[in-house]
Amino acid sequence: MGGTTSVLEVLIRRAFLQKLNTSSVDDILVILEERTHTNEQFATRYPYIKELISGEIFNIQELLRKALEHDVDYLFNSRINCGGYALKIDICIFPRKGDFEKSVSTLLDTFPFVRLLGDTQLSEDEYLVLYRAHGNGGHHFIRVDDDGTVVEKNDCQSPKNFNGWGTLENSPEAVFAVKKEHEMWYFKQEPNIVIPSKTSMNFEETVFSAIKQQQNSFDYHNHCYVFKKSKNGTVYICSNSEIVAEMIIDGDEYDIEIKDGKQSYISNTQPKVPIVIKNGKYQGFNHEEYSH
């Protein structure tokens, strides 16, 4: 079952549950009977379902409600992992083992509704997602809801309040600003798993790619960069008219030296002021720590 199909099945069951809570048996049967006109397979089941819903014995309506609730939880939790839950999409996301910067780059390239918070402000139509990963492939996404509750999802388990990073405590972290409104079934393809592409690139590889394609500028982690050549032939990589790196050229070989203090700017994975999470609740930004 693809991701889109799973979501639709969940929505159908949730709509049915809502009807069970607010409608009479007759109203529900009218809705089900309408479906028999468009679905031959369902039409063969309708008499049995009608008998079950109409019967009073064993309080069949309550049993049906519980079965549907179990179905909804199972479908929802079995089809998405921590990444799908955090980004509110109907797929599992697994980072490729290796360079953390490459994984971040691919997430930004793959999902147009995701950006790095960096030194910008969170908009009212966005929410926070924190992502950590280490080289052997371990990773985790957590989501910050509007009320400050930090939520996580592990494997096929139900979502729960965030309980710490565990083995990722000392791993690099990226802070994303994610649009609240976007298509949940963004990807209409099989399988329903997104793995960062082998073509994803870190900063140095992005520079080399721009040179190879004879570009005068390029984008990396939400920042725009341009090449500037000095009178003595030195090539600088600049952003906002500020030199952030220098290129050492030796024949066909290129080497990039990032200026002191500019690595975090280039990475742009964490906000200028650190985010504080305490006891599973978002505490805002740590301006006191930043001031030091």
Side-chain angles (χ1 to χ4, degrees):
M1 183 185 295
T4 301
T5 305
S6 299
V7 173
L8 291 176
E9 289 290 330
V10 169
L11 293 177
I12 289 170
R13 284 164 169 77
R14 283 180 175 166
F16 197 7
L17 281 171
Q18 187 176 13
K19 288 295 180 183
L20 283 173
N21 288 323
T22 60
S23 304
S24 67
V25 171
D26 289 340
D27 291 338
I28 296 170
L29 290 176
V30 169
I31 295 171
L32 294 177
E33 187 175 10
E34 290 176 353
R35 187 176 176 185
T36 63
H37 301 311
T38 57
N39 189 319
E40 293 182 4
Q41 187 176 9
F42 181 78
T44 61
R45 301 174 183 171
Y46 174 73
Y48 175 67
I49 295 175
K50 178 180 179 181
E51 182 179 349
L52 285 178
I53 295 178
S54 302
E56 295 297 330
I57 189 169
F58 302 128
N59 193 6
I60 200 67
Q61 198 168 340
E62 182 62 26
L63 291 176
L64 181 59
R65 180 184 291 107
K66 290 181 179 179
L68 284 169
E69 287 175 346
H70 179 269
D71 261 5
V72 167
D73 287 342
Y74 173 78
L75 283 168
F76 176 77
N77 291 319
S78 64
R79 298 301 174 185
I80 63 175
N81 65 350
C82 60
Y85 180 77
L87 299 183
K88 298 182 182 180
I89 47 180
D90 68 324
I91 54 175
C92 289
I93 303 173
F94 295 102
R96 182 165 53 85
K97 294 181 180 180
D99 194 318
F100 176 73
E101 297 286 326
K102 291 183 179 181
S103 293
V104 172
S105 297
T106 304
L107 290 168
L108 295 172
D109 292 340
T110 306
F111 306 109
F113 50 85
V114 176
R115 68 180 179 88
L116 283 166
L117 187 62
D119 56 2
T120 63
Q121 296 292 320
L122 189 70
S123 302
E124 290 185 0
D125 63 344
E126 295 175 321
Y127 65 94
L128 287 175
V129 167
L130 277 63
Y131 168 69
R132 289 192 183 189
H134 53 66
N136 64 7
H139 78 130
H140 197 44
F141 292 81
I142 62 173
R143 187 173 92 194
V144 180
D145 290 337
D146 284 342
D147 64 356
T149 302
V150 186
V151 189
E152 64 180 344
K153 185 181 186 299
N154 293 313
D155 302 321
C156 292
Q157 300 175 22
S158 298
K160 62 180 182 180
N161 288 349
F162 177 59
N163 192 34
W165 289 105
T167 58
L168 296 173
E169 187 63 41
N170 298 315
S171 297
E173 178 178 286
V175 181
F176 296 114
V178 183
K179 289 289 185 182
K180 292 180 180 177
E181 299 296 331
H182 61 263
E183 284 187 287
M184 185 173 182
W185 42 90
Y186 188 81
F187 293 90
K188 299 174 175 63
Q189 63 185 31
E190 297 290 347
N192 65 331
I193 294 176
V194 168
I195 302 175
S197 167
K198 292 182 179 179
T199 60
S200 58
M201 297 180 287
N202 58 27
F203 181 73
E204 288 80 3
E205 291 167 335
T206 304
V207 172
F208 296 151
S209 176
I211 293 172
K212 185 177 180 180
Q213 297 178 40
Q214 298 183 336
Q215 297 174 333
N216 294 322
S217 64
F218 62 93
D219 291 324
Y220 182 76
H221 285 194
N222 300 142
H223 285 158
C224 179
Y225 297 88
V226 296
F227 295 110
K228 291 186 178 181
K229 192 172 185 179
S230 67
K231 292 181 179 180
N232 62 8
T234 303
V235 177
Y236 296 108
I237 302 170
C238 305
S239 181
N240 295 324
S241 301
E242 184 177 1
I243 297 174
V244 296
E246 180 180 333
M247 290 186 58
I248 310 299
I249 303 175
D250 183 10
D252 293 331
E253 299 293 324
Y254 298 89
D255 189 25
I256 299 172
E257 291 186 359
I258 298 173
K259 296 292 184 181
D260 290 342
K262 294 301 179 183
Q263 182 60 58
S264 60
Y265 176 88
I266 288 173
S267 177
N268 197 31
T269 55
Q270 297 192 58
K272 192 173 183 180
V273 182
I275 284 176
V276 180
I277 294 176
K278 186 176 181 180
N279 298 326
K281 291 284 285 188
Y282 170 59
Q283 307 293 317
F285 294 92
N286 191 343
H287 293 280
E288 181 179 348
E289 179 180 324
Y290 176 67
S291 66
H292 291 284

